[in-house]
Amino acid sequence: MCQILIIYTGGTIGMMTDPRTKTLVPINFEQIMENVPELERLNCRIMVHSFEDVIDSSNMSPAIWGQLAGLIQKHYHEVDGFVVLHGSDTMAFSASALSFMLENLAKPVIFTGSQLPISAIRTDAKENLMTAIELAKAKKNDKVRVPEVCIYFDYKLFRGNRAFKYNSSKFEAFRSPNYPVLAESGVHLRFSINDIRPAGEEELIVHKNLVNDVGVLKLYPGISPKVVETIVNSDVRGIVMETFGAGNTTTDQWFIDLLKGAIDNGKVIVDISQCKVGTVELGRYETSKALKDIGVANGYDMTFEAAITKTMYLLSQFDDPKEITRWMETDIRGELTVS
Ligand code: ASP
């Protein structure tokens, strides 16, 4: 019989309105199970690990990602797959982080949650949970169908490090415009086999300690030298720079000089676009040529979530900024397409 580990971290799926404060707060897993008697009918042994402090995912942190990765490592050889119940707000960050932390992954790790609590009459939680379990145990000819860290939400399975939350009120909360969905659920589960990463062939390696020395520089017309200087000279080792269009920035000399100074001082700056669709093409326009010349890393079509967590991961692996820059521009877990 198949065996699945559900890891419950919190999120709306298991929330209830606190009668005192009238706000949504997480409840314990037993109360969730009571709402899904169908779980009993799955031909599968379900094990559950509930975090002691279940949280709204806005309180998610690299330390909790480390605990999640540790749990997956501990049960890796016992189970066929994992389902992580998680709030949708930061689910894409957690799924991206775990994709980097779990090297050589060969089993499904499916993140899911919901927009309405599982006890609500019109809840989306039951479908998300039941299908996430189906996906976590799916095999064909004894081979795992999705040996990846994924997000399952509203009938679609996304690669975790390609997805982001784009809608806070529709059931269709996630999108992945730069990479196809890995599977769709309807009457049948349909897998896009050519888009799914092959299972890791070597033993799983778990990297539990990400380094959060990361800053963000989001550009806008009129950004002042003082603001840029504060960010690029702050005490971080990596900076995710959100630029215009295909990776463009102002060509003002003060701006280029500040970035160059930071890179010369050992910081890594990665360029991703504020556009949700498309890719960074350093050197295509005059407004990105200097960035390439001074050593800004090309983030291609990475999501913000993937860029942040990849930077945290690379900072935990390497000291040399040139090496970090080289890996930043390399596809390591299916998170970017080199164009
Ligand atoms: N605030 C909730 C959370 O991220 C929202 C959700 O679960 O969808 O935990």
Side-chain angles (χ1 to χ4, degrees):
M1 196 194 272
C2 76
Q3 189 141 313
I4 298 294
L5 177 64
I6 298 181
I7 304 172
Y8 173 49
T9 68
T12 299
I13 190 162
M15 287 192 186
M16 214 170 79
T17 306
D18 181 327
R20 272 181 319 113
T21 60
K22 303 274 180 284
T23 56
L24 281 168
V25 291
I27 55 172
N28 66 37
F29 196 79
E30 283 69 51
Q31 288 166 277
I32 295 190
M33 293 294 248
E34 282 165 21
N35 284 283
V36 206
E38 295 89 341
L39 282 173
E40 302 271 311
R41 288 179 24 221
L42 279 174
N43 188 20
C44 200
R45 188 169 305 127
I46 309 276
M47 303 182 343
V48 177
H49 179 99
S50 181
F51 274 64
E52 223 159 89
D53 291 321
V54 284
I55 56 166
D56 184 299
S57 75
S58 299
N59 286 316
M60 191 43 70
S61 66
I64 304 178
W65 294 335
Q67 291 174 32
L68 257 177
L71 265 172
I72 290 170
Q73 181 175 39
K74 183 167 165 211
H75 296 280
Y76 193 68
H77 295 291
E78 284 163 39
V79 301
D80 296 281
F82 300 86
V83 171
V84 182
L85 299 183
H86 191 292
S88 61
D89 289 351
T90 62
M91 189 183 288
F93 287 93
S94 296
S96 298
L98 267 292
S99 77
F100 297 116
M101 295 163 98
L102 303 173
E103 188 175 343
N104 298 329
L105 184 66
K107 294 193 176 179
V109 176
I110 315 287
F111 279 74
T112 195
S114 62
Q115 294 280 54
L116 281 177
I118 204 152
S119 55
I121 291 176
R122 290 178 47 254
T123 188
D124 52 331
K126 287 188 192 180
E127 201 291 316
N128 286 349
L129 172 59
M130 297 304 287
T131 305
I133 296 172
E134 290 287 340
L135 291 162
K137 70 185 182 71
K139 289 193 180 164
K140 190 171 183 190
N141 302 332
D142 232 23
K143 281 183 109 180
V144 169
R145 301 214 69 162
V146 264
E148 294 207 30
V149 179
C150 302
I151 290 178
Y152 178 74
F153 226 92
D154 196 44
Y155 302 101
K156 290 193 178 77
L157 183 72
F158 304 98
R159 175 169 298 160
N161 58 32
R162 291 292 195 151
F164 58 88
K165 183 171 181 181
Y166 97 107
N167 198 315
S168 62
S169 49
K170 283 193 174 175
F171 289 152
E172 187 202 354
F174 288 88
R175 283 204 174 165
S176 161
N178 282 331
Y179 199 79
V181 294
L182 303 182
E184 280 199 73
S185 139
V187 173
H188 301 285
L189 292 179
R190 296 249 180 258
F191 294 89
S192 306
I193 39 177
N194 295 330
D195 299 316
I196 297 173
R197 272 165 72 77
E201 285 173 9
E202 314 276 310
E203 192 56 29
L204 178 77
I205 303 173
V206 180
H207 307 276
K208 287 191 207 130
N209 299 309
L210 298 190
V211 171
N212 70 347
D213 276 349
V214 185
V216 175
L217 175 59
K218 182 162 186 159
L219 298 187
Y220 48 89
I223 194 167
S224 68
K226 206 163 75 191
V227 168
V228 176
E229 194 177 346
T230 305
I231 296 168
V232 300
N233 291 340
S234 67
D235 192 17
V236 293
R237 289 170 59 206
I239 294 168
V240 174
M241 179 169 71
E242 282 200 294
T243 58
F244 309 122
N248 306 320
T249 64
T250 172
T251 49
D252 282 353
Q253 200 54 47
W254 65 262
F255 177 78
I256 302 298
D257 287 346
L258 279 172
L259 296 196
K260 183 170 183 316
I263 292 169
D264 290 348
N265 278 330
K267 287 190 175 39
V268 173
I269 302 180
V270 55
D271 183 341
I272 60 165
S273 176
Q274 291 174 21
C275 296
K276 295 295 189 188
V277 191
T279 189
V280 165
E281 292 178 75
L282 288 187
R284 175 164 173 215
Y285 290 87
E286 188 206 351
T287 44
S288 66
K289 166 90 174 58
L291 304 177
K292 193 174 179 181
D293 296 341
I294 62 174
V296 168
N298 191 336
Y300 294 101
D301 56 353
M302 263 192 293
T303 61
F304 177 68
E305 290 82 346
I308 289 280
T309 54
K310 184 174 182 179
T311 307
M312 290 183 181
Y313 167 69
L314 293 176
L315 292 177
S316 77
Q317 299 298 303
F318 307 103
D319 290 327
D320 179 6
K322 290 222 163 53
E323 195 159 9
I324 296 176
T325 298
R326 185 167 65 79
W327 282 112
M328 190 65 81
E329 296 182 335
T330 307
D331 172 17
I332 56 176
R333 303 278 195 274
E335 76 283 2
L336 59 79
T337 307
V338 176
S339 48

